[in-house]
């Protein structure tokens, strides 16, 4: 049965309790779009510095970046003739999410890489 | 016998010298005018009669139980009743002042110790006990003084009275009685003035019979042992209760329980006191008050034994020092450190104690070990030349035994935790030399290790390592030397395991350290221990055929660790010694498990948004195709090999991570072969070596061409991390041993200084490489971050720190964590950080850096991992601050960070993916550890630079690299360098090896669960055992969670979202993903 869930916030986390198998939690919020500019290039101060060779230091250039949420959906200026442009994300400009059928996979284990590692590899533990 | 005329003579001499209280004339006690009760000045009377000697069974059980001691310690202290006549004994030990009078009058040789630098041995300490005298010195003094040495029985009775008490003051251990204050010599141990401690006082008034210094007694042993005499009493270097009991026996095999030592040994810890027969007609004071009770203050000087210093472990090389000839020093000649480095011929004889060298171990400051080159000593061989290097870490000798036609070149070289003794013995005659070398390592001057009872000395047996006290002929009244030809079987009728070798070792009193002289080549055929000297021998077959030159290498270990650690280390070193000649000889490789890709699979209709599992499939394509199997699986970099054989370690680490993400079995066989190829290059020293003749190695980078295999410690660290991933996947315990071997290798090769350690830029082959046979050509400490061909020192330390810290957490190996900590200490030096911006900020404390972005962020990963495992909150905070500082460069919102950055560094307008990858890892780990909430950073890095800089579009890729590579299919899935809006036309193996794990780090962080509580940190697609996350971002502000096993879920909502506008519904309106069967049919 469809029911709104009272939201309990713990910092940036909202919490939903008393879940059962096959329950579906749907969280929605308005998207936020932002545009800002950044200067990218060589600051005058460091032009004579540099202890590595081979680098090229173009003049600073102003870029405009357009975001939806945390996703950069467009950037300018662009090198229109470049064979491998990136952030070509016009598709994200719509508000209709395309769906696709995929094969999903759930491994029986994960590879622990953070924390203090204790217990992550049974065979390494001292007797 | 009693020579009254000599006493008068003594009085005259002493008066002339003005030495107070040194006369030996009788004096009457103030209330005892009767001459028959007179006791010589400075002596006490011990009345005749029976007393109890040795320790009873009850006492042994009590001592063993109360103080957790090995009962064998007391096994030799025969409990018996002894009847003695009345005698006098010195109230305290003979003093320096008394002994000086003797030396000056007779010309007898002064104690060797007066020539040494130790403060307590100096001759001006008149009231201190004289030490550094051997048995004959003591006996000569006694004779000069008109006295004699006490017998062992007399000494023990004088100490414990007639009632068999354990200590002079009674039957209860009283450590405060013999406690010592740190002395004025920077805490060094030493005795105290003889009359000072009146709490260590026997019933007869004799002082310091438990503590201060052990004492010679007239205890020369019977024929066969005539060069050995008894020493009684405890001393300032002792601290265990049993060492101070009056029976004072720790296993001397003679049967009386006393400590016996060579009469020729002028030990700086042994003194003596004298005894005297009573004159005819002497009657003890009938009142029994033979000594007035002490009335003065108790002012005990305390100086504890100097314990091993773990903080300086493996920081600097062990020194080998000459031992000066006593008569040479007595003549006022320069001390050894002032000698020229080269000595030859007569110069050696005049200065040195032949064949005797001292080992000075920096982290064992209270212990002095001796090396005796036995064969040459016994044959009084001429030393032709001896050369000490400038810092006394290497000694070269040229010698021989002429009557054997033996010529020897002997080299001793100190390492960080060992000394290597190498013999080159040549037989110039025509008959076989049956045994051409014998080395004795003595711990007699090493109070933390001295083991006269053998309880802490272990030998390998067929049943494993056994203490001497557990070995079959340990208890033997006659044999204090145990000599085992290998294998050595127990005598007929005796139970016990065979002694098999090859290990012999003595552990320290605290059980934390060990010393062990082992034979690396050839294998030992004899183990020997002489408890008298606490010495160990591990002798190989040193026979030399006519015309043969035989090379023998022995390694003396001074280790912090257990006997198991020693075994592992020895095996590793043995293999390293055996296998340096060919790249083809590797460490044992038991093979790796072939794994499949098991797991749950189902189809689902999901939002067509960023799916990191799909990017993992791309990455697998690159990992499988992007290397040269014919060239040791070296990763490709653009259309050429990288030359960095070691980059493959990152790829190997990535394989299992990518498969966990996507479940693909693409190229499983290739993955296995690649790992096998790398494992095959891990040699017996535990390190991954690159052959110098690898035809595809790039070389150059300004480094000299290597002529031998070499390793990159940085890559070794990454290989350990890769093994951790593989071990978690297949659970094969073989990974543990592989990692252990590599960790040992990584611990062995840093340069240790003070409280830090570093891997230097060796100067040959490649950045920061270590040559397998020659080690580092250059060990200089880089003066700044900008060293090495790549201009980053920190980078080349980072993986080692991560690996050692993680290995420490996995295995419990404290030493690995300590080494990681020392590397961290090095990396926190000011020269590696900026001064600080703004000026009032101290850059080092805020982690402000300049230069190679990846070098600095990679090291932050290492520092963070170490800090987490070591619980170093301050360091965690530094990493957090440095992470935030690092965000200032480039455009953090999208994870685009210039290759080089910093306040004074021009940003190259390209972002190699390594930078983004490091920042992903840091942001996830900082957030996971509660050091900040950087999940939005992760989201931005991953959604943008990380995935955009992975080549996933074949058409565009072909267009990009058409001029260089007609078939770039292998590049699909690799990571490269991004300008802000375009990709550079090459791919970097390093970026692929870091970009792929970074995707995993983020993917793993999307959702986690514990005890039924799931936590969603990132609104990105992911299937998991607990719930599946379907993200509609960035099309819509929507995410659906499809529960499987969670009973509760916490979902992090991004910072850019207006929290007041968030809505949450449970089992809401059926969306397309729900209708289409999101959940698998579990039947």
């Amino acid at each position: 049965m469809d029911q709104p869930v009272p939201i309990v916030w713990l910092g940036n986390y909202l919490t939903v309790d008393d879940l059962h198998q096959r329950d579906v939690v749907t969280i929605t919020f308005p998207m936020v779009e932002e545009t800002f500019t950044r200067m990218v290039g060589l600051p005058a101060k460091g032009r004579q510095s540099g202890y590595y060779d081979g680098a090229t230091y173009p003049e600073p250039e102003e870029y405009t970046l357009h975001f939806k949420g945390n996703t950069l959906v467009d950037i300018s200026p662009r090198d229109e003739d470049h064979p491998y442009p990136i952030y070509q994300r016009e598709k994200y400009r719509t508000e209709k999410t395309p769906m696709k059928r995929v094969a999903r996979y759930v491994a029986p284990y994960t590879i622990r890489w953070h924390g203090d590692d204790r217990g992550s590899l049974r065979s390494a533990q001292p007797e | 016998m009693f020579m009254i005329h000599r006493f008068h003579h003594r009085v005259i001499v002493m008066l002339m010298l003005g030495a107070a209280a040194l006369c030996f004339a009788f004096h009457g006690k103030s209330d005892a005018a009767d001459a028959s009760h007179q006791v010589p000045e400075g002596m006490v009377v011990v009345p005749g009669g029976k007393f109890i000697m040795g320790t009873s069974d009850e006492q042994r059980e009590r001592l063993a139980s109360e103080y957790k001691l090995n009962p064998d310690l007391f096994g030799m202290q025969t409990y018996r009743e002894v009847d003695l006549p009345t005698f006098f004994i010195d109230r305290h030990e003979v003093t320096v002042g008394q002994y000086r009078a003797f030396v000056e009058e007779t010309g007898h040789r002064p104690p060797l110790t007066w020539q040494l630098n130790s403060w307590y041995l100096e001759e001006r300490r008149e009231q201190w006990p004289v030490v550094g005298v051997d048995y004959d010195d003591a006996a000569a003094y006694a004779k000069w003084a008109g006295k004699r040495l006490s017998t062992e029985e007399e000494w023990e009775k004088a100490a414990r009275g007639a009632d068999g008490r354990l200590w002079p003051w009674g039957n209860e251990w009283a450590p405060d009685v013999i406690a010592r204050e740190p002395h004025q010599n920077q805490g060094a141990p030493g005795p105290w003035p003889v009359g000072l401690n009146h709490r260590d006082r026997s019933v007869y008034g004799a002082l310091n019979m438990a503590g201060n210094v052990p004492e010679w007694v007239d205890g020369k042993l019977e024929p066969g042992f005539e060069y050995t005499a008894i020493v009684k009493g405890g001393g300032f270097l002792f601290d265990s209760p049993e060492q101070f009991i009056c029976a004072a026996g720790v296993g001397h095999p003679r049967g009386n329980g006393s400590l016996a030592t060579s009469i020729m040994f002028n030990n700086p810890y042994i003194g003596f006191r004298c005894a005297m027969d009573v004159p005819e007609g002497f009657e003890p004071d009938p009142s029994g008050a033979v000594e007035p009770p002490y009335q003065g203050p108790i002012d005990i000087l305390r100086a504890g034994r100097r314990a091993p210093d773990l903080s300086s472990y493996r920081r600097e090389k062990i020194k080998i020092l000459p031992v000066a000839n006593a008569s040479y020093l007595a003549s006022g000649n320069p001390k050894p450190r002032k000698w020229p480095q080269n000595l030859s011929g007569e110069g050696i004889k005049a200065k040195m104690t032949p064949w005797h060298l001292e080992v000075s171990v920096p982290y064992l400051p209270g212990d002095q070990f001796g090396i005796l080159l036995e064969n040459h000593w016994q044959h009084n061989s001429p030393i032709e030349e001896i050369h000490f290097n400038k810092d006394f870490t290497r000694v070269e000798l040229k010698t021989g035994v002429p009557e054997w036609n033996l010529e020897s070149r002997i080299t001793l070289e100190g390492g960080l935790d060992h000394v290597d003794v190498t013999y080159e013995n040549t037989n110039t005659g025509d008959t076989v030399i049956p045994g051409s070398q014998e080395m004795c390592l003595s711990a007699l001057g090493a109070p933390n290790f001295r083991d006269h009872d053998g309880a802490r000395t272990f030998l390998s047996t067929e049943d494993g390592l056994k203490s001497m006290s557990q070995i079959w002929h340990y208890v033997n009244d006659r044999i204090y030397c145990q000599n085992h030809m290998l294998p050595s079987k127990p005598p007929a009728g005796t139970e016990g395991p065979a002694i098999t070798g090859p290990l012999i070792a003595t552990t320290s009193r605290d059980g934390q350290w060990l010393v062990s002289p082992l034979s690396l080549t050839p294998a030992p055929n004899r183990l020997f221990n002489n408890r008298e000297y606490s010495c160990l021998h591990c002798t190989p077959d040193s026979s030399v055929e006519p015309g043969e030159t035989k090379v023998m290498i022995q390694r003396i270990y001074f280790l912090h660790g257990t006997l198991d650690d020693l075994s592992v280390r020895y095996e590793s070193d043995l293999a390293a010694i055996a296998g340096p000649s060919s790249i083809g000889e590797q460490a044992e490789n038991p093979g790796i498990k072939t794994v499949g890709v098991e797991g749950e699979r189902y189809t689902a209709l999901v939002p067509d948004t960023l799916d990191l599992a799909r990017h993992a499939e791309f990455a697998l394509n690159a990992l499988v195709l992007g290397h040269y199997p014919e060239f040791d699986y070296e990763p490709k970099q653009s259309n050429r090999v990288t030359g960095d054989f070691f980059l493959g370690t990152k790829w190997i680490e990535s394989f299992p991570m990518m498969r966990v993400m996507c479940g693909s079995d693409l190229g499983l066989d290739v993955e296995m072969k690649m790992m096998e190829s790398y494992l095959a290059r891990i040699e017996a020293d535990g390190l991954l070596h690159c052959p110098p003749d690898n035809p595809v190695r790039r070389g150059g980078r300004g480094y000299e061409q290597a002529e031998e295999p070499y390793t990159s410690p940085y890559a070794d660290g990454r290989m350990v991390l890769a093994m951790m991933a593989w071990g978690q996947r297949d659970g094969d315990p073989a990974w543990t041993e592989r990692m252990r071997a590599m960790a040992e290798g990584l611990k062995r090769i840093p340069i240790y200084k003070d409280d830090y350690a570093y891997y230097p830029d060796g100067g040959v082959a490649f950045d920061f490489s270590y040559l397998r046979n020659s080690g580092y050509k250059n060990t200089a400490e880089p003066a700044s971050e900008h060293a090495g061909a790549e201009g980053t020192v920190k980078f080349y330390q980072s993986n080692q720190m991560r690996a050692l810290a993680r290995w420490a957490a996995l295995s419990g190996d404290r030493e690995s964590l300590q080494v990681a900590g020392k590397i961290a200490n090095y990396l926190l030096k000011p020269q590696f950080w900026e001064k600080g911006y703004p000026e009032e900020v101290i850059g080092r404390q805020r982690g402000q850096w300049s230069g190679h972005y990846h070098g600095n962020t990679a090291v932050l990963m290492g520092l963070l991992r170490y800090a987490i495992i070591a619980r170093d909150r301050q360091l965690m905070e530094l990493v957090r601050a440095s992470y935030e500082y690092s965000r200032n460069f480039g455009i953090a919102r999208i994870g685009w960070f210039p290759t080089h950055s910093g306040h004074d560094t021009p940003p190259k307008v390209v972002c190699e993916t390594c930078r983004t990858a490091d920042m992903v890892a840091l942001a996830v780990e900082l957030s996971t550890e509660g050091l900040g909430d950087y999940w939005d950073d992760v989201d931005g890095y991953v959604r943008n630079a990380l995935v955009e800089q992975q080549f996933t579009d074949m058409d565009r890729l072909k267009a990009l690299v058409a001029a260089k590579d007609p078939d770039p299919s292998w590049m699909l899935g690799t990571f490269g360098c991004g300008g802000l809006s375009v990709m550079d036309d090459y791919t970097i193996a390093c970026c692929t090896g870091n970009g792929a794990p970074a995707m995993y780090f983020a993917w793993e962080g999307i959702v986690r669960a514990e005890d039924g509580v799931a936590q969603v940190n990132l609104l990105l697609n992911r299937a998991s055992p607990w719930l599946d996350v379907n993200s509609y971002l960035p099309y819509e502000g929507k995410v659906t969670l499809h529960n499987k096993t969670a009973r509760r879920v916490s979902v992090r909502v991004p910072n850019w979202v207006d929290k007041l506008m968030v809505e949450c519904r449970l089992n809401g309106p059926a969306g397309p993903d729900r209708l289409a069967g999101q959940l698998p049919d579990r039947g």
Side-chain angles (χ1 to χ4, degrees), chain A residues 21-82:
Chain A
Q21 191 180 32
R22 295 179 180 257
D23 277 349
V24 177
V25 178
T26 302
I27 301 166
T28 56
F29 42 82
M31 283 302 297
V32 174
E33 297 196 29
E34 296 173 276
T35 299
F36 66 85
T37 60
R38 288 292 299 269
M39 293 292 289
V40 174
L42 176 64
K45 177 185 174 186
R47 207 168 286 182
Q48 285 77 38
S49 184
Y51 26 75
Y52 60 98
D53 299 325
T56 56
Y57 313 129
E59 291 297 323
E61 188 171 4
E62 184 177 88
Y63 284 84
T64 300
L65 300 94
H66 187 77
F67 286 87
K68 283 184 75 177
N70 283 330
T71 304
L72 177 62
V73 294
D74 196 12
I75 187 169
S76 64
R78 286 186 174 278
D79 178 354
E80 299 297 338
D81 298 326
H82 196 280

Side-chain angles (χ1 to χ4, degrees), chain B residues 657-714:
Chain B
M657 295 177 177
M658 297 303 100
R659 296 198 194 281
V660 167
M661 291 171 71
C662 69
S664 169
D665 61 0
L666 176 71
L668 259 178
D669 56 333
V670 175
E671 176 185 349
M672 296 297 155
K673 287 176 183 173
M674 189 172 186
M675 177 55 108
E676 285 169 355
S677 172
Y678 274 69
L679 287 179
R681 283 159 183 77
I682 297 173
E683 300 200 33
D685 61 2
L687 301 173
L688 173 62
H689 286 280
C690 178
D693 56 351
N694 182 338
V696 296
R697 74 177 287 278
R698 176 170 53 190
R701 291 173 74 104
Y703 289 97
E704 180 183 323
Q705 174 77 36
E707 300 299 331
E708 59 182 280
Y710 60 95
T711 190
S712 161
Y714 168 85

